Amino acid sequence: MNIFINKKKLQFHLQNNEISYIIAPLKNNHIGNLYYGAKIEHQNDFSHMIQESDYVLPDTPNIFEDNFGFTLDTVKAEYPSFGQGDYREPAIEILQKNGSTLTDFKYKSYRVISGKPSLESLPATYVEDGKEALTLELTLEDKVIESELILTYTIYRDFPVITRNVKVINNSSEFLNIKRLMSMSLDLDRDNYSIFHLSGGWSRERQFIEREVKHGKLSINSSRGTSSANHNPFIGLKRGYVDEKVGEVFGFNLIYSGNFKGSVEEDHYGITRVSMGINPFNFNWELESQKEFQSPEAVMVYSNKGISHMSKTFNTLYRTRLAKGIYRDKERPILLNNWEATYFDFNEKEILNIAAKAEELGIELFVLDDGWFGARNDDSQGLGDWTVNYSKLPSGINGLSKKIEEMGLKFGLWFEPEMVNKNSDLYRSHPDWILEVPNRKGTPSRKQFTLDFSREDVRDYIYESLEKIIKTSSISYIKWDMNRPMTEIMSNNLPYTKQGEVAHRYILGLYELLEKITKEFPHILFESCASGGNRFDGGMLYYMPQGWTSDNTDAVDRLKIQYGTSMVYPISSMGAHISAVPNHQTGRITDINFRASVAYFGSFGYELDLNKITLVEQNLVKNQIIFMKNNRKLFQFGDFYRLRSPYKGENTSWMVVSKDKREAIVGDYTRLINANYGFDRLKLTGLDPDLEYKVESDSSIQNKKGKGDELMNSGLIFGKTFFGTSPLNESIGDFKSRIIKITAI
Ligand code: DGJ
């Protein structure tokens, strides 16, 4: 890893073993992009790579009166603004006192830092020692508005990763109105691109969606107050032919949990501009004199080894250098959550009964979900009143948690700290603590309202309420839920000029509280949740190493959800539970081994009353738990590879491989069976070509052993699916799966 600097020409080449990123001031001293892609040898001068025309381009504005070739209309810009001839998506817009939004930030100086500075008040990837990364800070200046812009780039030594963030410093005596400050903008050379992103909705989060990039603009965004299930803050770009194993891929992810925008625009010369940052829609930040504004971090991954290398990079970086705390590297406890078992309708006896069976079958952590506090007997009341409901739980959380621990289980508890029902003591005593527009009726969602987390007094109250329960009980795990999109995003605590800041201030407030609580209680494993996967993003992952992937626990639907999620987020971060059938979200019936074989590839648990399944199934559960305990290190900390896509047919397959490549587990799933399908082959990935492996599975697989090169190039051979007069093999049929263990001999 290196940052080469040509001090005379002011060219900056960020390079590691896999990538090169070259930038330099253009003729007008805005920063331009010369190259981003596979590593290229360093040269002392890259001037020839600057994409400038030496002839007059028709219909373009010219920055210089004596150089009609130089126009911002066609350059590859690093941080573009609108107003001087670049008509594409701008990265920055600052409204000034005179009504103009034109800014003209010109290169002023640079600084190289060993390692990676942390971002004030915002989550970001980090390093553990200064040798893991190098950081380049470019300072730009706009003399008219007396402000500086700091563009920060970090290159990692061990990953094909560049992270970016931006800061504005107002050195003037006036305030500035920031209307847009994207975390990154990048112009890529003319080529054939297609975009893929992770979009969906509640219960079908992070679906893999792909389409061609053509002349014009396409954006994904959220204005719901959370990063959302509708669009994850991720954009992938494929250049030319790409599949899991080959081709060039650019991945962009914003480490942020609130409103965001990611856009891709192909211009009239075929340059493709990608940008990502806080959603400028409805955003406005009044930056006072001598104050700074910091953008969230954008992570950019480049792979010329297909999508799987991009995912492996994101997965490993996020698991080891974004998630933090003692659980980062710990195998995650196998939990049972009572939500789908009881919903709001439970008492202590029933809970102990569910927990006792869970313990008997090998579960390690019992989680009590919604309904344990205030008058919370349904979702219309009690939210915000964080005092135990003694009529349901006569020994309190304190007593219950101890009883559960005495059984040999750890105890976990659900909170939804950011919300309130109007029918609650909290709302009755602080009606002004919710987000609302004065004189207008608020819009409920799930009969609840959003507490104004931009307010310190609200956050302090919530912290103290949680602290009291945590300190008086034995709590090892907290599920931090958040169950509605925001509306009426206004604060009673801010003047009208600052209302455009509320959505971002909310997220900053949330981060501040999460920082405090995770620091104060480092022994607690936190799991984030937002109506399932409504806020499954890098921002939350920084504080909480796992998240509830989706409220949809149907194993068939989970194939698509977990497959999509794995594009960016590590297996260890995906809460994956086995629930009852018929499934509560889809009504589908699948057998318990199929459900388990999907949930193994995640932070594994159960979401049902195990007393209510048959003895045969209880035995299967026992064995599933033993299997998971024996293999969870591999599942949660191995490298994950997608083999067959649930978006492309009835078969899905994926696998995990240990870092030393001596062990792997393949999950192979059939949605609807095709009769008389013939022989099927599955080529594996990530093994050591020279090692000899043992293959353990059901009898439908012909290979009993094989060298890594054979298993990856010729593949596993699945026996035929139609047996004429004999009964079908147990792994054949609708909703069937195989778990295949591969071990080096
Ligand atoms: C939404 C979550 O996603 C569920 O798992 C459950 O915790 C409910 N909230 C409880 O209200």
Side-chain angles (χ1 to χ4, degrees):
M1 163 193 63
N2 209 336
I3 299 183
F4 298 99
I5 299 171
N6 178 331
K7 291 193 180 156
K8 223 165 116 217
K9 302 239 160 165
L10 288 170
Q11 294 168 355
F12 305 91
H13 179 188
L14 292 78
Q15 185 204 55
N16 69 18
N17 284 336
E18 292 188 69
I19 55 172
S20 280
Y21 195 89
I22 308 172
I23 50 182
L26 302 169
K27 282 202 179 83
N28 67 340
N29 269 333
H30 289 185
I31 306 296
N33 187 287
L34 278 55
Y35 176 80
Y36 175 39
K39 175 189 172 181
I40 54 178
E41 278 306 308
H42 181 65
Q43 299 167 33
N44 192 35
D45 185 5
F46 285 110
S47 309
H48 56 281
M49 280 189 170
I50 298 180
Q51 210 166 281
E52 283 170 356
S53 155
D54 52 5
Y55 62 93
V56 180
L57 290 162
D59 197 29
T60 54
N62 312 111
I63 291 292
F64 304 108
E65 296 192 1
D66 56 353
N67 176 352
F68 299 117
F70 184 76
T71 172
L72 298 185
D73 203 10
T74 61
V75 293
K76 283 166 60 190
E78 268 299 284
Y79 207 71
S81 55
F82 175 75
Q84 294 176 304
D86 189 334
Y87 298 97
R88 298 162 289 181
E89 181 89 356
I92 182 168
E93 263 179 292
I94 296 182
L95 178 65
Q96 299 137 51
K97 217 178 153 195
N98 63 6
S100 158
T101 53
L102 191 152
T103 54
D104 192 16
F105 283 98
K106 293 183 186 298
Y107 173 80
K108 183 179 168 191
S109 61
Y110 76 86
R111 185 161 81 111
V112 173
I113 305 159
S114 301
K116 183 173 192 291
S118 53
L119 287 194
E120 210 188 310
S121 326
L122 282 162
T125 55
Y126 55 87
V127 291
E128 288 202 330
D129 84 58
K131 294 195 189 96
E132 289 179 17
L134 277 174
T135 298
L136 172 69
E137 269 184 16
L138 298 183
T139 300
L140 282 53
E141 189 181 24
D142 183 330
K143 289 202 168 125
V144 173
I145 58 170
E146 296 170 63
S147 297
E148 286 179 339
L149 189 64
I150 317 264
L151 306 183
T152 303
Y153 300 80
T154 296
I155 182 158
Y156 272 89
R157 181 190 59 201
D158 303 327
F159 300 103
V161 167
I162 290 192
T163 64
R164 290 181 60 178
N165 72 77
V166 177
K167 186 161 53 183
V168 179
I169 306 170
N170 182 359
N171 296 321
S172 75
S173 52
E174 307 283 347
F175 69 78
L176 298 170
N177 253 313
I178 303 176
K179 305 197 78 66
R180 170 193 297 256
L181 191 81
M182 303 313 276
S183 297
M184 56 83 41
S185 180
L186 175 72
D187 287 348
L188 292 164
D189 299 328
R190 170 149 76 193
D191 216 319
N192 292 324
Y193 295 94
S194 56
I195 173 176
F196 57 104
H197 51 102
L198 307 173
S199 301
W202 177 79
S203 250
R204 47 186 172 77
E205 295 88 342
R206 293 170 298 287
Q207 305 285 301
F208 182 84
I209 292 170
E210 183 175 2
R211 47 194 138 158
E212 263 180 84
V213 175
K214 291 276 182 209
H215 204 140
K217 201 186 290 185
L218 194 150
S219 77
I220 52 161
N221 63 73
S222 168
S223 48
R224 306 171 78 90
T226 59
S227 51
S228 89
N230 304 61
H231 297 288
N232 196 261
F234 165 77
I235 284 178
L237 274 187
K238 296 180 179 178
R239 179 149 76 188
Y241 177 79
V242 176
D243 62 23
E244 284 288 342
K245 292 183 196 162
V246 303
E248 278 191 294
V249 187
F250 298 85
F252 306 90
N253 185 231
L254 191 70
I255 304 201
Y256 190 58
S257 310
N259 296 337
F260 76 94
K261 180 175 182 187
S263 87
V264 172
E265 177 178 12
E266 185 187 310
D267 75 10
H268 52 304
Y269 285 107
I271 292 174
T272 292
R273 173 168 294 174
V274 189
S275 69
M276 205 169 242
I278 292 176
N279 193 349
F281 173 70
N282 225 15
F283 171 79
N284 178 52
W285 191 276
E286 195 180 69
L287 187 64
E288 281 145 38
S289 160
Q290 311 307 317
K291 289 268 168 31
E292 307 178 346
F293 181 82
Q294 172 66 58
S295 84
E297 172 168 291
V299 178
M300 312 197 307
V301 174
Y302 170 80
S303 159
N304 59 3
K305 294 192 271 279
I307 315 181
S308 80
H309 188 56
M310 177 205 77
S311 293
K312 187 172 152 186
T313 303
F314 272 123
N315 291 181
T316 317
L317 178 76
Y318 284 8
R319 189 171 55 69
T320 60
R321 293 294 180 267
L322 177 60
K324 52 178 190 147
I326 55 169
Y327 281 93
R328 186 188 77 174
D329 303 325
K330 270 198 182 167
E331 292 175 36
R332 305 296 158 71
I334 297 173
L335 66 82
L336 184 136
N337 178 307
N338 75 307
W339 177 240
E340 287 196 14
T342 64
Y343 295 104
F344 294 104
D345 189 15
F346 59 81
N347 58 37
E348 185 179 293
K349 200 169 149 230
E350 280 157 6
I351 290 296
L352 289 173
N353 196 23
I354 295 174
K357 180 56 79 178
E359 194 279 331
E360 184 195 317
L361 300 184
I363 280 161
E364 297 159 315
L365 165 72
F366 175 82
V367 180
L368 181 61
D369 209 282
D370 197 354
W372 58 266
F373 51 90
R376 187 76 169 166
N377 295 319
D378 55 49
D379 61 10
S380 69
Q381 53 190 333
L383 198 55
D385 297 338
W386 300 112
T387 48
V388 71
N389 181 330
Y390 283 101
S391 50
K392 279 183 179 173
L393 303 173
S395 344
I397 290 296
N398 174 347
L400 177 68
S401 61
K402 295 214 166 96
K403 286 183 190 173
I404 294 227
E405 286 207 333
E406 275 157 23
M407 284 180 178
L409 289 162
K410 296 275 183 208
F411 178 76
L413 194 58
W414 177 96
F415 287 97
E416 190 175 1
E418 300 159 66
M419 296 289 158
V420 68
N421 286 127
K422 284 203 172 169
N423 188 1
S424 68
D425 293 340
L426 177 63
Y427 182 76
R428 281 182 282 272
S429 30
H430 297 286
D432 59 325
W433 276 12
I434 61 170
L435 297 178
E436 61 180 348
V437 175
N439 305 318
R440 293 201 185 268
K441 192 188 142 298
T443 313
S445 175
R446 205 197 187 196
K447 304 174 194 112
Q448 65 194 53
F449 290 83
T450 312
L451 286 173
D452 180 359
F453 260 44
S454 71
R455 291 176 68 139
E456 199 176 350
D457 50 355
V458 173
R459 298 196 301 269
D460 286 350
Y461 172 85
I462 291 296
Y463 179 80
E464 280 155 27
S465 309
L466 266 56
E467 185 191 33
K468 203 182 287 164
I469 294 163
I470 299 171
K471 285 198 166 153
T472 53
S473 316
S474 292
I475 294 179
S476 309
Y477 162 105
I478 285 178
K479 178 173 172 188
W480 184 294
D481 205 348
M482 191 284 189
N483 283 312
R484 63 157 293 172
M486 295 177 200
T487 51
E488 290 91 23
I489 307 181
M490 278 189 85
S491 169
N492 287 308
N493 210 27
L494 289 169
Y496 81 95
T497 51
K498 289 188 172 288
Q499 294 300 335
E501 302 177 15
V502 176
H504 183 55
R505 282 181 182 270
Y506 181 102
I507 297 295
L508 292 178
L510 171 66
Y511 288 155
E512 188 190 287
L513 182 58
L514 291 176
E515 182 72 39
K516 183 165 165 186
I517 204 158
T518 50
K519 236 188 205 148
E520 182 66 27
F521 303 105
H523 68 283
I524 292 180
L525 168 62
F526 283 83
E527 173 155 345
S528 72
C529 176
S531 299
N534 243 306
R535 204 164 57 182
F536 199 103
D537 56 59
M540 297 313 279
L541 183 58
Y542 177 77
Y543 301 101
M544 315 201 194
Q546 61 192 61
W548 185 220
T549 316
S550 173
D551 271 349
N552 189 343
T553 52
D554 176 289
V556 175
D557 281 0
R558 275 295 185 118
L559 289 172
K560 284 189 173 172
I561 297 169
Q562 292 174 207
Y563 180 96
T565 307
S566 77
M567 288 286 150
V568 181
Y569 306 99
I571 294 302
S572 58
S573 71
M574 291 185 220
H577 301 171
I578 294 159
S579 60
V581 288
N583 179 270
H584 292 198
Q585 292 78 37
T586 62
R588 195 169 358 238
I589 297 177
T590 56
D591 72 56
I592 202 155
N593 274 348
F594 181 82
R595 282 172 269 158
S597 63
V598 179
Y600 289 144
F601 291 83
S603 278
F604 181 77
Y606 292 80
E607 187 109 4
L608 75 169
D609 183 350
L610 294 169
N611 292 297
K612 295 195 175 150
I613 58 175
T614 64
L615 285 177
V616 173
E617 285 175 323
Q618 287 184 15
N619 239 331
L620 291 172
V621 166
K622 228 184 201 166
N623 289 331
Q624 290 166 358
I625 293 172
I626 294 171
F627 174 77
M628 189 62 190
K629 285 179 181 166
N630 288 338
N631 292 289
R632 94 178 117 183
K633 203 166 156 210
L634 168 59
F635 279 118
Q636 294 173 354
F637 304 118
D639 292 327
F640 180 77
Y641 297 98
R642 294 170 296 269
L643 304 176
R644 297 201 277 204
S645 164
Y647 295 88
K648 285 194 181 144
E650 297 302 330
N651 297 315
T652 301
S653 325
W654 53 39
M655 68 189 288
V656 278
V657 183
S658 64
K659 289 282 170 202
D660 64 7
K661 296 178 187 283
R662 298 194 62 81
E663 266 187 303
I665 293 179
V666 180
D668 177 67
Y669 312 89
T670 305
R671 225 164 12 204
L672 296 182
I673 187 76
N674 286 309
N676 194 16
Y677 188 59
F679 290 86
D680 188 14
R681 273 177 194 255
L682 183 66
K683 291 179 185 168
L684 307 185
T685 310
L687 301 175
D688 182 334
D690 299 323
L691 280 178
E692 173 94 13
Y693 293 93
K694 179 168 79 183
V695 178
E696 291 168 281
S697 180
D698 62 38
S699 57
S700 66
I701 295 193
Q702 289 188 189
N703 323 53
K704 300 296 169 227
K705 61 182 181 148
K707 285 264 303 287
D709 56 359
E710 182 198 313
L711 296 175
M712 292 193 287
N713 294 303
S714 165
L716 294 174
I717 305 169
F718 295 167
K720 55 188 177 170
T721 53
F722 179 64
F723 290 75
T725 51
S726 60
L728 291 180
N729 182 289
E730 61 172 22
S731 62
I732 290 165
D734 291 347
F735 315 136
K736 293 290 181 184
S737 60
R738 303 177 175 95
I739 288 291
I740 305 153
K741 182 94 201 251
I742 315 271
T743 323
I745 300 170

